[in-house]
Amino acid sequence: MSEYRTGLGWDSHRLAAGRPLVLGGVTVPSEFGLEGHSDADVLAHAITDAVLGAAALGDIGLHFPDTDPQWKDCDSLVFLRHAKEHVLALGYRIVNVDATVILERPKLSDYRQAIRDKLAETLSLDTDRVSVKFKTAEKVGPVGEGRSAESQAIVTLQKLGTGPWVESTAPPLT
Ligand code: C5P
Ligand code: MG
């Protein structure tokens, strides 16, 4: 019998003019982008926390302190790849990811496929194991007023033996 574990992630970043809007590693054309120490990819951060959380490995700030100049303007897919490699090493495989981005505008659905493909490639998963959804906040609160964006994510891991696995040695999901 396999052991399954679930992790939850959440993140929020302020919107500002002149910043890029990077979601799941994809730059979406927008007047406003996300502010933060790294590239502020709110979706990648929520998924990274969900992967780490499923294996009780703490959170993104523990692994990548935002006081460390090394991570300034960093591509957040680096964090996500690190979380994947960490859980693989402990004998886990990622089964699936489901996430929601809450952003008033721009409309994101045209970018869904590109974002899913990029996240799937980063996590070494088939795209059908990665779900990304979009919501507005109906003009209510900081997200609804266009001052910030939020993301939520949930991830399931399957434990396959004791590991340590790397991509090339990991057994397939059962
Ligand atoms: O927030 P609301 O329920 O009105 O969103 C309706 C739909 O609009 C969502 O299911 C999603 O497909 C799309 N949407 C989007 N980009 C956003 C917010 C919502 O494509 N920034
Ligand atoms: Mg963040």
Side-chain angles (χ1 to χ4, degrees):
M1 248 281 279
S2 297
E3 181 192 354
Y4 288 90
R5 297 179 64 140
T6 304
L8 185 68
W10 175 89
D11 196 24
S12 170
H13 281 267
R14 195 188 292 267
L15 284 161
R19 285 279 301 179
L21 178 61
V22 183
L23 295 169
V26 173
T27 302
V28 174
S30 172
E31 206 182 324
F32 296 91
L34 297 169
E35 254 183 356
H37 184 67
S38 64
D39 64 4
D41 184 337
V42 69
L43 173 59
H45 293 181
I47 298 172
T48 300
D49 262 3
V51 173
L52 294 173
L57 291 171
D59 56 29
I60 197 168
L62 183 72
H63 296 254
F64 303 97
D66 64 6
T67 46
D68 187 339
Q70 190 184 164
W71 311 124
K72 178 100 182 80
D73 297 324
C74 166
D75 173 359
S76 295
L77 296 184
V78 168
F79 307 153
L80 190 55
R81 211 171 283 117
H82 161 89
K84 172 195 71 175
E85 284 164 3
H86 203 132
V87 298
L88 259 179
L90 293 173
Y92 294 104
R93 305 296 312 278
I94 297 171
V95 177
N96 76 302
V97 175
D98 185 26
T100 302
V101 176
I102 308 115
L103 179 69
E104 209 62 20
R105 59 177 190 277
K107 193 167 167 42
L108 297 167
S109 51
D110 288 350
Y111 301 91
R112 191 191 321 267
Q113 194 59 42
I115 293 171
R116 291 178 66 210
D117 287 344
K118 179 68 93 174
L119 289 169
E121 182 196 325
T122 305
L123 293 169
S124 313
L125 293 173
D126 291 338
T127 302
D128 69 0
R129 291 184 184 272
V130 179
S131 158
V132 179
K133 312 184 301 300
F134 308 113
K135 295 297 286 182
T136 68
E138 299 286 353
K139 299 188 168 63
V140 177
V143 177
E145 289 162 11
R147 292 190 279 126
S148 64
E150 291 184 9
S151 184
Q152 301 174 337
I154 191 161
V155 164
T156 298
L157 304 182
Q158 184 181 20
K159 181 110 181 185
L160 287 170
T162 52
W165 310 124
V166 292
E167 218 70 77
S168 55
T169 60
L173 286 163
T174 56

